[in-house]
Amino acid sequence: DVVLTQSPLSLPVTLGQPASISCRSSQSLKHRDGDTYLHWFQLRPGQSPRRLIYQVSNRDSGVPDRFSGSGSGTDFTLKISRVEAEDLGVYYCMQGTHWPPLTFGGGTKVEIK
Amino acid sequence: EVHLLESGGGLVQPGGSLRLSCAASGFPFSNFDMMWVRQPPGKGLEWVSGIRGSGHTFYADSVKGRFTISRDLSSNTLYLQMNSLGAEDTAVYYCVKGYWGDHWGQGTLVTVSS
C-alpha cells in the first residue's frame, strides 16, 4: 500500500502569515495514464471534510485562491499564502493513483500560534 | 446541488451488525463511483470501501469479509452493511461522491461498545 507522510503534524500559524504542508509518498503517484491523483482535504472542527485541491494543483470551486497545491512524483505541498481564521483545522492529502486501497496522510493540524 | 445524507449509525455491541445508508441527490447517481470513508475518534481519515459506477466493489483489508457495500439505483441510495463489528470500527462514517472525494456527507457515528 502507498504510505503518505505529512509534515508537520502540527502547524502553529500567525494569522496573515503563510503556511505550508508537505505530503510525501512511498512511491511515485504519477499514474500510467500520465495524471497524478493526489488531492488535498480540509477538515474544520464540527464539519465534514471538504476537498480543496484535486490532481495536485487544481482548486475546487469556491476555494479561495490563497490555497495552492504543487509537486510531482513523491513530493507534494499545500500552501496557504495568508492564513485566515477560517483556515484553522486539519488538512489531509489523499492518493488515488495506486488503489485499492485509497490512502490518506496522517493529517496536519493548523492552529493559532 | 450535490447532497449526501447518511443515516443508520448508533451504538452496537461487539459482534453486532449495522447498516448505514446514504441518500444521494443532485447528480446522476448511477454514473458515479461512491465510497465510504471513516474517522475514528481522535484519529485520521481511513478509506473503507468503494463501488464503481460499473458496480465493481472494493474493500480495505481491515473490513474485507465483514462489510458489504451496495447501492439501490432506483432510490439513489448507497449502503454499507457492517457485520462482526469490533471496537476498532468505532468511527464517524462518511459517504463520499467520487473516488476523488469531491463531495462528502455530514457523517454518521458508529459506536461499538458493550
Side-chain angles (χ1 to χ4, degrees), chain A residues 1 37 39 41 43 47-51 54-55 60 92 94 96 99-106, chain B residues 33 35 37 39 43-47 52 58-61 94 99-107:
Chain A
D1 298 353
Y37 299 98
H39 320 299
F41 298 86
L43 184 49
Q47 296 187 16
S48 54
R50 169 199 185 192
R51 195 180 68 185
Y54 63 96
Q55 286 185 273
D60 272 277
Y92 295 90
M94 184 196 87
W99 67 275
L102 296 171
T103 51
F104 291 88
Chain B
D33 305 334
M35 60 181 178
V37 173
Q39 183 177 28
K43 297 187 178 181
L45 299 172
E46 178 190 14
W47 176 77
R52 302 304 303 264
F58 301 91
Y59 300 93
D61 285 345
Y94 295 101
Y99 268 45
W100 295 8
D102 57 77
H103 288 84
W104 297 59
Q106 88 290 344

Side-chain angles (χ1 to χ4, degrees), chain A residues 13-85:
Chain A
V13 299
T14 300
L15 296 181
Q17 294 300 304
S20 180
I21 300 169
S22 170
C23 176
R24 289 188 169 175
S25 175
S26 59
Q27 56 185 282
S28 174
L29 297 184
K30 186 173 184 178
H31 195 272
R32 58 179 179 271
D33 66 9
D35 286 331
T36 299
Y37 299 98
L38 185 285
H39 320 299
W40 290 95
F41 298 86
Q42 175 194 58
L43 184 49
R44 294 177 187 164
Q47 296 187 16
S48 54
R50 169 199 185 192
R51 195 180 68 185
L52 300 175
I53 303 283
Y54 63 96
Q55 286 185 273
V56 182
S57 59
N58 299 284
R59 246 189 329 271
D60 272 277
S61 175
V63 174
D65 60 8
R66 62 179 180 274
F67 289 94
S68 64
S70 63
S72 64
T74 61
D75 289 342
F76 303 90
T77 303
L78 176 70
K79 292 183 178 178
I80 310 173
S81 59
R82 294 174 306 281
V83 176
E84 297 190 6

